[in-house]
Amino acid sequence: MEMLWTWLLSFFFILALLCILGYQLVCLVDLEFDYINPYDSSSRINNVILPEFIIQGVLCLILLIARHWFMLLLALPHLYYNVNLYMTGRHLVDVTEIYNQLSWEKKKRFFKIGYLLVLFILSLFWLLWSIGDEYD
């Protein structure tokens, strides 16, 4: 039963990360098409960056406690990248440079979404597998 709860939690954490990144991407696209000003866009993105990092850390902690080594090894590079951004102070979007960094910020979020989609599909697979094992 604990396997089912572990995969269910990881499924929802990855889903939350995908939603946060989608929100950031919508803010960047709105900025690109002048639906929003740079200050509002950067403040909205900066408000959800720290929760994104925390959710990624909690996800890795859950996978570590549950001893799901393969998924943990797949999730660790994203956590390392986020910690590296935070430690070097490059995790926030600068309001004065957002237009110059717009394409890079969008590419970065698209890559993160693609990476998390792989984790999401694997988590969904293991969730369904543990449901099947639970009722066999």
Side-chain angles (χ1 to χ4, degrees):
M1 187 62 139
E2 63 276 350
M3 293 283 283
L4 179 64
W5 286 107
T6 302
W7 291 120
L8 196 61
L9 279 174
S10 68
F11 174 79
F12 284 119
F13 278 131
I14 294 171
L15 187 64
L17 286 171
L18 285 170
C19 290
I20 288 173
L21 286 171
Y23 175 74
Q24 292 176 13
L25 198 57
V26 165
C27 288
L28 289 172
V29 169
D30 283 350
L31 178 67
E32 184 178 23
F33 291 115
D34 278 340
Y35 295 138
I36 192 171
N37 63 34
Y39 178 77
D40 287 339
S41 180
S42 62
S43 66
R44 289 178 185 180
I45 292 171
N46 290 340
N47 283 338
V48 296
I49 285 182
L50 197 57
E52 174 195 348
F53 290 0
I54 291 170
I55 291 172
Q56 179 67 30
V58 170
L59 173 67
C60 288
L61 183 68
I62 288 171
L63 293 173
L64 179 68
I65 290 171
R67 296 187 315 239
H68 295 299
W69 306 119
F70 179 69
M71 285 293 286
L72 178 65
L73 286 177
L74 286 178
L76 276 179
H78 187 214
L79 180 67
Y80 173 75
Y81 179 73
N82 287 341
V83 169
N84 190 17
L85 282 179
Y86 185 77
M87 292 301 211
T88 57
R90 296 180 293 132
H91 63 288
L92 296 177
V93 177
D94 186 17
V95 68
T96 59
E97 292 292 322
I98 194 165
Y99 279 120
N100 297 334
Q101 300 171 350
L102 190 61
S103 66
W104 169 249
E105 293 289 335
K106 282 175 40 181
K107 286 178 190 175
K108 186 167 65 169
R109 272 137 183 109
F110 275 127
F111 183 76
K112 281 183 175 184
I113 286 174
Y115 185 76
L116 285 172
L117 277 176
V118 171
L119 287 178
F120 183 75
I121 290 169
L122 287 172
S123 176
L124 182 62
F125 170 77
W126 286 113
L127 174 64
L128 295 174
W129 185 276
S130 63
I131 288 173
D133 278 350
E134 193 70 33
Y135 293 110
D136 271 345

